Amino acid sequence: MPGERYFAARDRLAEISTHIAGLARDTGLEVPEHDPVPDVGRPILLAAIGEVNAGKSSLLNAIAGVEVCPAAALPLTKEIRLYRYGGSAMERAHDGGVLECRRPVPFLKNFELLDTPGTNATGRPEPEQIDPWLNAAEFVMVVFTAENPWTAATWDAVSRLSDETLERTVLVVQRTDLKQPQDIPIILGHMRDLCLKRTGRALPIFPVSAKYCLEAKSSPSGAPEAWSASRFAVFEDYISSRVCESFARRQILHDSWHHASRTLRRLEERFDLTRRGMDDDAWFLTGIEREMDALRDEHMLAAPRSLSAMLDRYRTAVGDIVHHLRSRLGWARTVVRLFLGDTSPAALEAMFATRMHEVAQSQGDGDAARLLDACAAHWQTVRPRVAERMGFDPGPCLVAGVKRDESIGRFTARLEKAVPHALANLRVRGVLDPLLRRRNHTLKLVVAIALLLATLAGVLGTLGKGGLPYYVLAASGATLVGSVLIAWTTLATISIGYRERLLDSAPAYASALEADYGEAIRTLFHEYSQGLIEVRRQLADRKAALQPRLEHWNNLFIALKAVELEM
Ligand SMILES: Nc1nc2c(ncn2[C@@H]2O[C@H](COP(=O)(O)OP(=O)(O)OP(=O)(O)O)[C@@H](O)[C@H]2O)c(=O)[nH]1
Ligand SMILES: [Mg+2]
C-alpha cells in the first residue's frame, strides 16, 4: 500500500491522541473551542478518470490490492462511484448522481476511491458534476489504455482540469502488458508532447499494468515477476511521496501532534494544580486538627478548676461522713455495738465511696456535656469551611450528636473507675479502724468494771453488809458516768481528727484523679477529631485516583515523543 510509513505514524498518533482525549475527558479538561482536534484520520481521496474500458476501475483495484470496483470488458461504470470504508457493504445515492459505496476493506480506511464512467461513455456525467470531486481529490489519475492513448475525449477532459487540479494530476498509461516493452518509451514520448500541447505542462506519466499488479498483490508469494512487470513500484512510490508524505499531510500530522502535545501540557498543568490543591487541602486539615488540639489543651488547662469543684463536693461529703460518724459514736449506740460488734469503719468507708462515686458521676456527666458542647460549636465552624474548600459536606459532629450519650458515658466511666483507686490512697477505713478499736477497748473495760461493781453491790446487799453495797453501787454508777465522759471526749477527738485527716487528704485525692481526668479529656477530643477521618479518606482517595492518571500521562508523553521521532 502506498504511504505505509505515513499511515503507521498517523495511526500511532491517532491512537495516542485518542488516549489523550480520553484522559482529558476523565479529568474534566475541556477542549477549547479555538483549538479543535485536527482530523488526522481523514482518508486520502484518489480519483480516476479516462475513457471507457481504459482500465480505471482495474487501476483503483490494483492500488487497493483487492477488487473493490467492478471491472469488465464491457462498459461498466455508469455513475460516479465513491468507495469508502464501512463495517458492511452498503450503497447510498448522493445528490448529483454520485453513488457512495461502503465496503469493509481495510485499505479504504486510508484511501477513498473515486471511480468514474468513461469520458466517452454515453450518459457520462457533466463536467460540473464531476469537477468538484476532482477539485477535492488529493490525487487525480487520468487513465489511458496503452493500446490507444490518443483518444480526444480524455485529452479534452485533461485540458479542462483547473491549474490547482493539474498540480495533483498524473497520467497513467494502463494495460502496458498488451504492448511490447520497446513501444512504451515511444508512447510516453508522444504523450509528453501531447500533454505539453494540451496543458502547457509536463505532467508525470506512469506506464503500468493493473492486471499484473493485482496478480502480484493477490499472490501469497508476491509474484515478483508480475510485480516488476506491473511497474507499480515506481508509481506507488510516487503516490507515497506526493500524497501521503506531502506537505499538507505532514502539516496535518504536525498539527495533530502539536494539538496532542498542547493537551498533554494542559493536563500536566491541571494535575499540578490538583496536586497543589490536595497539598493545600492536607495543610488546611492539619490546621483544623491544630485547632482541635488547641481546644483540647484549653480544656486541659481548665481541668484544675473542674477538679477543685469536685473537691468542694468532696469536702461536703467529708462533713456528712463525719456527721454520720458522730451519730454512730454516741455513748448508747457505742455500748450496744460493744456487744454486737462495731462495723462503723467499713460502713463509713462504703458510704464515703458511694458519695464520691456519685460526685464523680455527676461531675463527669456535666464536664463531658460541656466539652461536647464546645466540640459541637467548633464543628459548626469546621463544617462549612470543609464544604467550601473541599467541595463536600463532612456531615454533623457525631461525637456531639448521635453518639453524645456514648461519649459522655465513656468520659464518666473513666472518672468513676479512678475513684476507688484514689480513695484507696486515702485509707478512709484504715485510719478509723485503730482509733475506734482503742476507744471500744477502753469503753468495754470501763463498762465491764461498772457492771462488775453493780454485781458486787448486789451480792453484798444480799449478804446484808449494811451500807457497803450502796458504796459499791455508787462506784459502779460513777464508773458508768466515767464511761459516758470517755465516750463523749473520744467522740470529739476522733471525729475532729478524722475530719482533719480526710480534709488534709483532699489534694492527694485530687491529684490521684488528675491523670485520669486528663486522659478522659484527651480521649474525648481524640474521638472528636475522628470526625475528620472521612475528610482525610476523601483526600486520600483523590490522591490515589490521581496516581494512575499521572502514570498514564507519563506513558502518553513518552509515546508522543517516540512518534515525533517517527514523523
Ligand atoms: N491485459 C490487461 N487488461 C486489463 C488491464 N486493466 C484492465 N484490463 C481489462 O480491461 C477491461 C476494462 O477494465 P475496467 O477496469 O473495467 O475499465 P474501466 O475504465 O473501468 O471501464 P468502464 O468502467 O467501463 O469505463 C477489463 O476487461 C479488464 O480486465 C491490464 O492491466 N491488462
Ligand atoms: Mg470502470
Side-chain angles (χ1 to χ4, degrees):
M1 182 175 63
E4 278 188 15
R5 264 188 56 218
Y6 164 80
F7 289 119
R10 187 204 66 172
D11 290 349
R12 186 87 191 100
L13 183 58
E15 189 191 351
I16 294 168
S17 295
T18 306
H19 283 298
I20 291 175
L23 185 60
R25 213 174 24 254
D26 291 351
T27 315
L29 190 78
E30 282 168 18
V31 179
E33 271 175 29
H34 63 270
D35 193 14
V37 187
D39 184 9
V40 72
R42 188 165 55 81
I44 294 170
L45 179 61
L46 303 182
I49 58 168
E51 91 178 78
V52 171
N53 256 353
K56 303 179 292 298
S57 305
S58 303
L59 178 71
L60 293 173
N61 290 342
I63 295 170
V66 58
E67 281 205 36
V68 181
C69 320
L74 293 172
L76 194 63
T77 311
K78 296 273 187 262
E79 67 278 287
I80 304 172
R81 286 176 160 245
L82 177 65
Y83 290 93
R84 286 185 154 161
Y85 181 79
S88 57
M90 178 204 101
E91 287 171 11
R92 179 163 75 102
H94 263 288
D95 294 343
V98 177
L99 189 69
E100 181 183 331
C101 308
R102 296 268 173 186
R103 298 285 183 268
V105 174
F107 174 87
L108 294 177
K109 287 180 180 172
N110 297 326
F111 291 98
E112 288 178 345
L113 305 177
L114 190 81
D115 197 6
T116 57
T119 44
N120 54 342
T122 43
R124 61 184 173 274
E126 294 300 322
E128 54 271 20
Q129 219 177 329
I130 199 163
D131 285 354
W133 288 99
L134 298 182
N135 290 339
E138 284 175 65
F139 198 61
V140 178
M141 296 167 286
V142 185
V143 185
F144 298 87
T145 170
E147 296 138 285
N148 178 18
W150 329 115
T151 50
T154 308
W155 283 107
D156 288 347
V158 174
S159 309
R160 264 201 322 273
L161 293 176
S162 67
D163 278 351
E164 290 79 40
T165 310
L166 282 175
E167 285 290 323
R168 294 171 271 115
T169 300
V170 296
L171 308 182
V172 181
V173 183
Q174 242 278 63
R175 309 186 353 163
T176 50
D177 55 292
L178 296 176
K179 297 296 286 182
Q180 292 301 318
Q182 63 272 22
D183 295 340
I184 304 297
I186 300 164
I187 294 172
L188 296 185
H190 285 303
M191 284 186 74
R192 232 170 265 130
D193 295 344
L194 203 48
C195 182
L196 270 174
K197 217 162 99 189
R198 288 291 198 132
T199 64
R201 46 171 99 203
L203 296 177
I205 307 174
F206 294 94
V208 298
S209 165
K211 182 181 155 193
Y212 283 157
C213 173
L214 199 59
E215 218 175 281
K217 285 188 179 177
S218 313
S219 158
S221 67
E225 278 176 20
W227 175 248
S228 151
S230 75
R231 304 188 191 217
F232 251 73
V234 180
F235 181 46
E236 288 195 347
D237 275 356
Y238 182 82
I239 300 178
S240 296
S241 61
R242 271 305 300 275
V243 183
C244 308
E245 287 152 27
S246 68
F247 177 77
R249 281 278 160 181
R250 298 230 139 256
Q251 194 58 46
I252 295 177
L253 273 195
H254 278 98
D255 287 352
S256 176
W257 189 91
H258 283 292
H259 185 277
S261 169
R262 275 197 300 280
T263 311
L264 272 187
R265 224 177 11 250
R266 284 179 29 240
L267 274 170
E268 187 184 22
E269 282 162 13
R270 166 69 65 98
F271 289 144
D272 261 4
L273 208 69
T274 312
R275 225 176 357 212
R276 271 205 299 275
M278 283 176 182
D279 288 348
D280 287 353
D281 284 352
W283 184 245
F284 161 76
L285 288 181
T286 308
I288 289 184
E289 279 161 357
R290 276 209 212 97
E291 286 175 23
M292 289 172 163
D293 288 350
L295 196 65
R296 180 200 61 206
D297 293 346
E298 193 184 301
H299 284 93
M300 291 288 282
L301 283 176
R305 267 210 304 280
S306 290
L307 285 174
S308 93
M310 207 151 146
L311 278 190
D312 288 344
R313 297 164 86 168
Y314 170 93
R315 289 190 187 97
T316 312
V318 167
D320 293 348
I321 291 294
V322 171
H323 180 74
H324 195 73
L325 174 67
R326 289 180 73 94
S327 71
R328 275 185 163 255
L329 296 189
W331 181 81
R333 292 175 73 175
T334 305
V335 170
V336 171
R337 278 201 306 275
L338 285 179
F339 298 100
L340 299 179
D342 193 355
T343 57
S344 294
L348 284 169
E349 185 187 49
M351 188 181 161
F352 195 58
T354 307
R355 283 294 303 275
M356 293 327 292
H357 211 263
E358 285 164 6
V359 167
Q361 198 174 35
S362 72
Q363 180 86 21
D365 286 356
D367 285 357
R370 193 168 41 78
L371 294 178
L372 289 174
D373 287 347
C375 291
H378 180 244
W379 190 256
Q380 285 295 321
T381 72
V382 170
R383 199 171 165 183
R385 279 186 285 158
V386 170
E388 189 193 334
R389 175 164 191 112
M390 301 184 69
F392 82 97
D393 181 8
C397 176
L398 296 181
V399 80
V402 287
K403 293 187 174 169
R404 186 180 170 93
D405 289 347
E406 285 171 41
S407 306
I408 292 178
R410 270 193 295 277
F411 185 92
T412 304
R414 173 98 207 195
L415 221 53
E416 284 174 329
K417 221 169 105 193
V419 168
H421 179 68
L423 285 179
N425 288 344
L426 300 188
R427 297 179 58 240
V428 177
R429 178 177 170 176
V431 171
L432 195 59
D433 243 351
L435 294 175
L436 288 189
R437 215 178 299 125
R438 229 182 356 258
R439 177 180 191 256
N440 288 348
H441 188 71
T442 311
L443 285 176
K444 208 185 249 175
L445 193 68
V446 175
V447 170
I449 291 170
L451 287 178
L452 269 178
L453 287 174
T455 311
L456 185 60
V459 172
L460 291 175
T462 317
L463 294 175
K465 293 290 182 189
L468 189 59
Y470 297 105
Y471 292 121
V472 175
L473 195 60
S476 164
T479 312
L480 270 183
V481 171
S483 78
V484 171
L485 280 174
I486 290 169
W488 186 71
T489 50
T490 51
L491 179 154
T493 51
I494 287 175
S495 57
I496 289 169
Y498 191 53
R499 176 196 207 96
E500 278 170 5
R501 164 73 203 223
L502 287 181
L503 291 180
D504 288 349
S505 301
Y509 178 72
S511 71
L513 286 184
E514 201 176 336
D516 287 281
Y517 188 77
E519 203 45 51
I521 294 178
R522 262 192 289 276
T523 306
L524 184 140
F525 273 93
H526 177 70
E527 287 167 14
Y528 170 52
S529 66
Q530 298 294 297
L532 282 184
I533 278 191
E534 187 47 39
V535 185
R536 283 270 184 209
R537 192 175 297 131
Q538 284 266 354
L539 191 62
D541 286 352
R542 285 185 199 173
K543 266 192 182 154
L546 188 64
Q547 199 47 38
R549 287 183 182 169
L550 287 175
E551 278 165 25
H552 195 183
W553 184 94
N554 223 25
N555 294 337
L556 289 171
F557 180 80
I558 293 168
L560 195 64
K561 280 279 164 213
V563 169
E564 189 184 22
L565 297 178
E566 283 170 34
M567 281 160 58

